[in-house]
Amino acid sequence: MNKVLLITLLSTLMISAMAQSTVSYKLSMPEPHTHYFEVEMTIDQIDQKEIDVKMPVWTPGSYLVREFAQNVDYVLAKDAKGRHLDVEKINKNTWRIAGINSNEITIAY
């Protein structure tokens, strides 16, 4: 996945029902020869027990369905104390994070 595509994905990632939350990203490429990026997304001010995170299926200006989520190898979520949260892929571009018991989570993919 190229850098421009990854930035587009990150900038258009939608978090449902969390208007007051702050979302921050950490992007790394620990093994450049693999061409894989690691993305960490931290969301604070969560007041729900579960949230849905989505990845777009399109690029602005294009009418083609791109299926960006098919390139995601794994999705992990942890709360502020490092406890693993339940992650379930509920459709081709949406993951449900459940069991949230803190006001901040980190999602890695």
Side-chain angles (χ1 to χ4, degrees):
M1 192 180 309
N2 71 35
K3 198 177 208 179
V4 174
L5 176 62
L6 189 59
I7 298 301
T8 301
L9 291 174
L10 292 175
S11 66
T12 56
L13 184 72
M14 298 181 303
I15 311 284
S16 62
M18 294 176 37
Q20 74 277 9
S21 296
T22 302
V23 180
S24 59
Y25 298 95
K26 179 181 168 186
L27 179 65
S28 63
M29 192 177 195
E31 298 179 35
H33 66 280
T34 65
H35 302 275
Y36 280 95
F37 285 90
E38 292 181 3
V39 179
E40 253 185 33
M41 176 174 60
T42 301
I43 308 166
D44 66 7
Q45 303 302 317
I46 297 175
D47 60 357
Q48 299 167 306
K49 296 295 179 194
E50 69 178 34
I51 61 169
D52 291 346
V53 292
K54 295 186 175 196
M55 190 171 281
V57 295
W58 51 269
T59 298
S62 173
Y63 295 102
L64 299 175
V65 174
R66 302 291 183 169
E67 307 288 351
F68 296 122
Q70 74 183 356
N71 297 313
V72 174
D73 286 341
Y74 65 90
V75 177
L76 302 171
K78 293 182 181 182
D79 66 13
K81 293 183 179 179
R83 294 178 294 229
H84 287 271
L85 302 172
D86 296 329
V87 178
E88 176 187 6
K89 189 170 185 178
I90 58 174
N91 65 34
K92 68 180 179 179
N93 70 323
T94 307
W95 290 265
R96 178 160 291 147
I97 313 298
I100 301 171
N101 288 319
S102 69
N103 67 349
E104 179 179 296
I105 65 169
T106 300
I107 302 165
Y109 62 94

